[in-house]
Amino acid sequence: MHHVYPSNSYQQLVHGRTLLHLSLLVTSQRVDGKPRQMTILNLGRHFVVDQDLWASLCVRIEQLLSHQVELLPIELPTTVEQAAQRIAAQLIEQRAVVSQTQIADEGLSTPVESAQTAPVDLQTVDVDSLELTRPRTVGVEQLALWAMRQLNFLDLLAQLGINGAQTAAIAGSIIGRMAGVGSELATHNWLKKQSALGELLEVDYESLPLMTLYRAADGLWKHSAHIEQTLFTRPTDLFGFSTTITLYDLTNTYFEGEVPHNTKAQRGRSKEKRTDCPLVTLGLVLDGSGFVRRSQTFAGNVSEAGILETLLQDLGAPQDALVVMDAGIDTEANIQWLRKTGYGYLVVSRERSRQFNADDAVSLLTASDETVRCQKVVDEDGQEVRLYCHSSGREQKEQAMAERFASRFEAGLNALNEGLQRPRTEKRPDKLWERIGRLKQKQHGIGQHFQVDLQTDDSGEKAVSITWQKHSVPGSYVDLPGVYCLRSNQTQWTEEELWRTYMMLTDLEAVFRCFKSDLGFRPIFHHKEERADSHLFITVLAYQLVQLIRRRLKESDINTNSSWRTLREIMSTQCRVTASFRRADGKALHVRKATRAEPKQMAIYRALKVNSAPGGIYKTIV
């Protein structure tokens, strides 16, 4: 290619008189014996290379396209080199001949099958001239786009009137979360420098301004209610799930910095112990298969027990739905409201005293081959049932905890007692009782299992010794380790139905672990309330796609007990790269394709019936 250079041009918009300044890449060609300038690429309004460097830029583009060896390497600024590589890649793609694998059916999942349908293309090249450039990840992106197509997500955005640029930005933000990128700034860098998502969507993310991501998030949040109503019901249609089981829980995340203009940013009890930061709370309602049915944000200091009625009413859950929730929410007022409004419930009982009769218990086997024994007890009025469960694994854990707390408590008592024999130590009985009380508070209730006595001198104003004796309190976790109680109004259910239904709540806990550690849930850097809400909503959408992928893999007997992070790590090693050679005739051959899928990646692709060579193959001869 010869005489390629950027040019300043002006184009008048059709719908008005406004003049739009554009940077164009043009080439000089002779047509009918006369020189003509032919536009080969629109560089956009935000072309960052100074005009003084345009000549050097064009020389570098020609070197990249023709695969020339640099006899005298050009010292170029980083911005110029980045622009040259980006423009060269775009020109190569424009001229590329797309191989048969690019248009192959998505169900085609093996390179061998692809090779059988593609024509043979033999080239004579200089092997030593091979260069591999522009590696970009493509595995996670391929799975995420598959999930979006399953839910018709991109079509839904188009129906809502969201334009192409914003749709691309929204897709990039959500898939970025799935790839482990949190903030919009980090997502912008990921889309530009690390991901091949733009190739799969035919979008130039490298020219996408950062502000477009923020504005796209704002637009997404404006339609959040409709998206939830439409999108969150589609997994039910895909899998035929029942909505009769509703899992409910809350979690919170923290803001970095002060957030004076967000009324939801309040100090509260942080589940990450970040009491130094304002918080915001996310409430989720899920079905029995772990798909989100409803999400809502609340102030960071909201009471978990106080918003159950609000969230379930907003959801419009069926009146015969069974609500499963943990001990932090199952207050007596909430249980009475659930019973009054016709909901079923299954919760962890708050009663402190434990009981368990092994002779009346039924043995159940967990997924990890652990035996759990369950004893069902129906109340005298027949309105409620309690299920007392004993887990050997939980018993070992609670025994170890009790021993650790008891050891610390006795060590503290022993230190106080030894101090009585030394001068200038506290010996006032009232102050010593205060210290004993603080010891009990620190050791999580273990103090109830000790009888502590304080002996004083004849005046009663000076302690001379501290003695203690350990004893067991009936019904405590020391007396009955490994026992917990479930409470429900489903009195006709069997022990196994009650226990296995409650175990779904452990999946909900895994949801929040996925939110917090895998999908960029925390922290939040936005100061505007709408931006903070949209940040959480993008995470919810990312989780919905993740759950869809995991459910499909589970149907194919692929282990999905591992976290999304593990699946993401498996897929993250597949990349698209450009291989460039010099041919025997002096021309340059550029081939861009994905790396061969590893065995674990191939198994996932086959289970989802997805093409294992994302993006197809592009070949260009310059």
Side-chain angles (χ1 to χ4, degrees):
M1 180 179 63
H2 301 286
H3 308 300
V4 177
Y5 53 93
S7 171
N8 284 335
S9 177
Y10 292 91
Q11 176 179 336
Q12 188 170 5
L13 298 182
V14 176
H15 58 275
R17 297 180 179 179
T18 305
L19 293 180
L20 178 63
H21 178 271
L22 298 174
S23 295
L24 306 174
L25 191 69
V26 301
T27 182
S28 294
Q29 295 182 358
R30 186 168 292 277
V31 180
D32 297 332
K34 298 180 180 180
R36 293 287 187 269
Q37 289 186 353
M38 308 295 293
T39 299
I40 56 176
L41 192 65
N42 183 346
L43 302 179
R45 291 184 297 172
H46 304 282
F47 190 58
V48 296
V49 178
D50 293 336
Q51 188 168 353
D52 294 341
L53 296 171
W54 282 2
S56 298
L57 172 66
C58 291
V59 171
R60 181 60 180 146
I61 292 173
E62 290 184 353
Q63 287 179 342
L64 293 172
L65 290 176
S66 59
H67 199 49
Q68 296 174 359
V69 178
E70 302 177 49
L71 298 177
L72 294 175
I74 306 174
E75 295 291 337
L76 296 176
T78 302
T79 55
V80 177
E81 179 64 25
Q82 289 176 340
Q85 292 194 19
R86 170 179 163 242
I87 293 170
Q90 289 179 304
L91 293 175
I92 289 172
E93 184 175 347
Q94 280 186 356
R95 301 177 177 189
V97 176
V98 184
S99 74
Q100 183 68 25
T101 54
Q102 168 67 14
I103 59 176
D105 185 83
E106 287 186 354
L108 184 61
S109 58
T110 66
V112 174
E113 293 170 341
S114 302
Q116 291 174 350
T117 59
V120 177
D121 185 7
L122 300 179
Q123 301 276 349
T124 302
V125 299
D126 178 3
V127 176
D128 291 336
S129 69
L130 170 65
E131 284 188 356
L132 300 176
T133 57
R134 294 183 65 82
R136 298 292 187 268
T137 61
V138 74
V140 173
E141 293 88 336
Q142 178 81 325
L143 295 192
L145 287 177
W146 171 85
M148 284 186 173
R149 287 192 292 268
Q150 295 294 303
L151 297 179
N152 296 325
F153 179 66
L154 299 180
D155 292 339
L156 175 60
L157 296 181
Q159 293 169 11
L160 293 173
I162 298 177
N163 63 39
Q166 286 193 329
T167 295
I170 290 170
S173 296
I174 296 173
I175 297 175
R177 294 291 174 83
M178 298 173 70
V181 186
S183 67
E184 276 74 8
L185 178 60
T187 300
H188 187 247
N189 290 329
W190 175 77
L191 289 170
K192 290 176 61 176
K193 303 175 182 178
Q194 301 178 42
S195 173
L197 178 61
E199 297 181 49
L200 302 184
L201 290 176
E202 298 183 356
V203 174
D204 182 14
Y205 281 115
E206 293 189 48
S207 63
L208 186 74
L210 174 60
M211 186 53 64
T212 303
L213 290 181
Y214 290 110
R215 290 172 178 166
D218 295 341
L220 180 70
W221 178 245
K222 290 179 182 178
H223 298 287
S224 58
H226 182 78
I227 290 173
E228 279 199 350
Q229 183 180 3
T230 305
L231 189 67
F232 290 3
T233 58
R234 286 182 176 167
T236 303
D237 300 330
L238 287 174
F239 295 95
F241 293 140
S242 170
T243 60
T244 57
I245 296 178
T246 299
L247 306 175
Y248 171 82
D249 207 346
L250 296 98
T251 191
N252 55 39
T253 183
Y254 60 89
F255 293 88
E256 287 289 358
E258 296 297 327
V259 195
H261 304 298
N262 189 339
T263 58
K264 294 178 182 175
Q266 301 292 332
R267 304 273 177 172
R269 179 179 174 272
S270 171
K271 298 192 176 183
E272 293 295 305
K273 312 301 180 186
R274 290 301 301 267
T275 55
D276 59 315
C277 301
L279 311 174
V280 64
T281 300
L282 174 68
L284 287 180
V285 176
L286 298 93
D287 59 27
S289 300
F291 284 96
V292 177
R293 302 286 297 174
R294 173 71 171 164
S295 67
Q296 191 167 340
T297 55
F298 302 92
N301 59 353
V302 73
S303 167
E304 290 189 351
I307 57 177
L308 173 66
E309 180 178 349
T310 300
L311 199 55
L312 287 183
Q313 285 181 336
D314 289 346
L315 172 68
Q319 289 298 305
D320 58 347
L322 176 70
V323 178
V324 186
M325 52 191 176
D326 67 14
I329 307 169
D330 62 341
T331 63
E332 192 62 35
N334 278 338
I335 290 176
Q336 293 302 324
W337 178 83
L338 289 170
R339 185 183 298 176
K340 179 181 177 181
T341 51
Y343 288 106
Y345 58 87
L346 178 59
V347 300
V348 175
S349 176
R350 288 190 170 197
E351 60 188 41
R352 291 183 174 273
S353 180
R354 304 182 179 191
Q355 60 174 309
F356 184 72
N357 187 343
D359 296 334
D360 296 334
V362 174
S363 295
L364 302 175
L365 197 63
T366 69
S368 57
D369 292 330
E370 178 189 352
T371 299
V372 175
R373 294 181 295 170
C374 301
Q375 176 194 2
K376 178 181 173 183
V377 178
V378 180
D379 290 353
E380 293 182 358
D381 58 6
Q383 298 298 313
E384 275 195 335
V385 60
R386 281 171 171 77
L387 189 70
Y388 297 97
C389 309
H390 175 270
S391 165
S392 56
R394 187 179 182 127
E395 178 179 353
Q396 294 176 4
K397 180 179 178 181
E398 291 186 348
Q399 284 178 338
M401 290 172 53
E403 291 175 2
R404 183 169 66 254
F405 295 148
S407 177
R408 291 176 182 174
F409 185 69
E410 292 192 78
L413 292 176
N414 191 56
L416 291 176
N417 185 50
E418 290 179 352
L420 298 177
Q421 311 306 319
R422 297 192 300 268
R424 294 185 299 277
T425 57
E426 185 61 69
K427 298 179 178 63
R428 290 173 294 177
D430 56 338
K431 296 299 182 182
L432 288 171
W433 280 120
E434 288 181 7
R435 294 188 178 185
I436 293 171
R438 285 196 291 271
L439 280 176
K440 291 182 178 180
Q441 184 180 18
K442 290 180 180 179
Q443 302 310 323
H444 303 276
I446 200 68
Q448 65 177 320
H449 300 281
F450 287 84
Q451 177 63 46
V452 182
D453 294 314
L454 187 65
Q455 291 79 36
T456 63
D457 59 9
D458 295 338
S459 67
E461 298 180 355
K462 181 180 178 182
V464 295
S465 68
I466 300 175
T467 60
W468 60 89
Q469 185 176 3
K470 188 177 181 181
H471 62 89
S472 178
V473 177
S476 66
Y477 79 97
V478 175
D479 178 53
L480 289 172
V483 173
Y484 57 95
C485 179
L486 306 180
R487 178 181 177 185
S488 176
N489 59 353
Q490 306 300 304
T491 57
Q492 304 302 316
W493 283 23
T494 65
E495 292 88 344
E496 182 171 6
E497 288 175 319
L498 290 168
W499 182 79
R500 295 200 183 281
T501 301
Y502 182 76
M503 284 299 101
M504 292 179 181
L505 193 58
T506 61
D507 290 337
L508 181 59
E509 294 170 355
V511 168
F512 286 132
R513 286 195 296 272
C514 181
F515 267 76
K516 298 170 187 176
S517 61
D518 297 347
L519 297 177
F521 180 68
R522 58 169 52 105
I524 298 177
F525 296 94
H526 303 292
H527 289 191
K528 295 181 179 179
E529 182 171 330
E530 294 79 6
R531 289 263 170 92
D533 289 342
S534 67
H535 174 90
L536 298 182
F537 186 60
I538 288 173
T539 300
V540 172
L541 293 175
Y543 166 75
Q544 196 80 335
L545 299 178
V546 166
Q547 187 66 4
L548 176 61
I549 294 169
R550 295 181 66 192
R551 291 295 305 187
R552 283 301 190 200
L553 294 179
K554 185 176 181 179
E555 291 180 349
S556 299
D557 295 327
I558 293 180
N559 181 18
T560 57
N561 292 329
S562 57
S563 66
W564 168 247
R565 178 178 296 180
T566 302
L567 294 174
R568 185 174 67 203
E569 288 176 354
I570 291 173
M571 301 305 303
S572 64
T573 58
Q574 188 179 31
C575 299
R576 283 182 63 80
V577 295
T578 297
S580 300
F581 299 88
R582 282 197 309 274
R583 297 202 321 173
D585 59 3
K587 294 184 178 181
L589 169 66
H590 304 278
V591 180
R592 184 156 184 82
K593 64 182 296 186
T595 56
R596 181 188 294 271
E598 300 285 340
K600 288 185 178 180
Q601 296 169 348
M602 186 65 73
I604 293 173
Y605 282 137
R606 284 173 174 162
L608 300 179
K609 298 181 180 179
V610 179
N611 191 345
S612 64
I617 302 175
Y618 287 82
K619 293 179 286 187
T620 307
I621 298 174
V622 179

